[in-house]
């Protein structure tokens, strides 16, 4: 019997209109880009911090109408900072034209894959390879604005360069794609890393942030309980993978239907397979599982 992950209390409600700037808290406004999809929900939520002199967080994908919507939202104000949670193509590419328009410097951990390159791992998958921040932030760095400040939290896992931004004035955490309320996040090797992702979840569970503002979807208002549900879900998924292996399944494409039937539609199985690979990479690192040859989606895995 395969262990089934416990349900996660997802919230797929969202009151919005594309291009409209909504004040969602005293210090935060949000404009949503029209890039809905299976991984981006209704689209990228670009956050604007402060009033008068503001930061723009995750300008989003290269969509002209979204750039115009951000410009309209900050009309008559000064953009002093452009903050980037990570370098996926639905987050960072619009930073370049926004910077060309407003002149503000960009802040982020580093180029795509930079957290892995530091560990000697070459990242070959997609991502926004054109973005490099003007200012590289490290864990604990504080960025001060006019009436707002954020502390960078390095939260690798979804990507190796993922940052969350904590806004102390509201005990709020801009959680990027690390923790989203509408869905679990994608953890796809080699840049995505399950061990790092779990460590980043445990770290958030220990904190006392009052609310999370993810890039996609509605805020999370019971964040520690939600993070604990994500941890339990991934732990149960790992147990399910170990069950598959002890039942003699050796290939990821055999395991995915057994693990995900009823959870995700078959067209999402390729993404689910990346997640199973991420778990298996970590199990190999832990010495629990062995693989024939390089760790890839086609490798054969066995209990060690
Ligand atoms: Zn992402």
């Amino acid at each position: 019997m395969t262990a089934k992950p416990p349900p996660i209390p997802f919230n797929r409600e969202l009151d919005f209109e594309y291009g409209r700037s909504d004040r969602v808290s005293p210090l935060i406004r949000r404009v949503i880009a029209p890039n809905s999809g299976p991984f981006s929900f209704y689209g990228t939520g670009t956050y604007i911090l402060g009033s008068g002199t503001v930061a723009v967080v995750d300008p989003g994908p290269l969509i002209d109408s979204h750039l115009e919507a951000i410009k309209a939202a900050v009309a008559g104000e000064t953009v002093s900072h452009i903050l980037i949670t990570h370098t996926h193509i639905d987050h960072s590419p619009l930073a370049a034209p926004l910077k060309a328009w407003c002149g503000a410097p960009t802040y982020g951990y580093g180029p795509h894959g930079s957290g892995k390159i530091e560990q000697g791992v070459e990242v070959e998958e997609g991502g926004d390879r054109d973005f490099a921040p003007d200012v590289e932030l490290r864990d604990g760095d504080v960025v001060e604005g006019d009436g707002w400040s954020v502390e960078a939290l390095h939260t690798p896992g979804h990507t190796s360069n993922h940052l969350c931004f904590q806004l102390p004035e509201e005990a709020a955490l801009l959680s990027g794609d690390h923790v989203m309320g509408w869905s679990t996040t994608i953890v796809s090797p080699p840049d995505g890393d399950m061990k790092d992702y779990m460590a980043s979840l445990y770290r958030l569970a220990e904190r006392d942030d009052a609310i999370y503002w993810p890039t996609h979807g509605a805020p999370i208002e019971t964040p520690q309980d939600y993070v604990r549900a994500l941890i339990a879900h991934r732990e149960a998924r790992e147990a399910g993978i170990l069950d598959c292996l002890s039942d003699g399944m050796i290939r990821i494409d055999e395991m995915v239907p057994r693990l995900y039937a009823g959870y995700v539609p078959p067209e999402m199985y390729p993404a689910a397979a990346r997640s199973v690979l991420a778990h298996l990479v970590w199990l190999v690192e832990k010495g629990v599982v062995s693989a024939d040859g390089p760790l890839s989606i086609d490798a054969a895995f066995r209990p060690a």
Side-chain angles (χ1 to χ4, degrees), residues 156-207:
H158 174 66
T159 64
S160 61
N161 65 358
H162 193 287
L163 297 175
C164 294
F165 295 113
Q166 202 251 345
L167 188 65
E169 291 84 353
E170 296 188 355
L173 188 78
L174 304 181
S175 57
D177 284 4
H178 175 47
V179 175
M180 302 184 285
W182 74 283
S183 168
T184 56
T185 197
I186 299 291
V187 179
S188 177
D191 193 42
D193 185 303
M194 190 59 72
K195 179 184 176 191
D196 289 349
Y197 170 69
M198 293 297 281
S200 295
L201 286 182
Y202 284 118
R203 185 175 176 201
L204 292 199
E206 297 292 309
R207 295 171 50 88

Side-chain angles (χ1 to χ4, degrees), residues 17 30 32 34 55 72 88 117 121 145 147-148 161 171 173 189 203 253 257:
E17 216 173 85
R30 183 185 62 207
I32 295 182
H88 277 153
I117 289 164
V121 177
W148 58 268
N161 65 358
L173 188 78
R203 185 175 176 201
D253 61 4

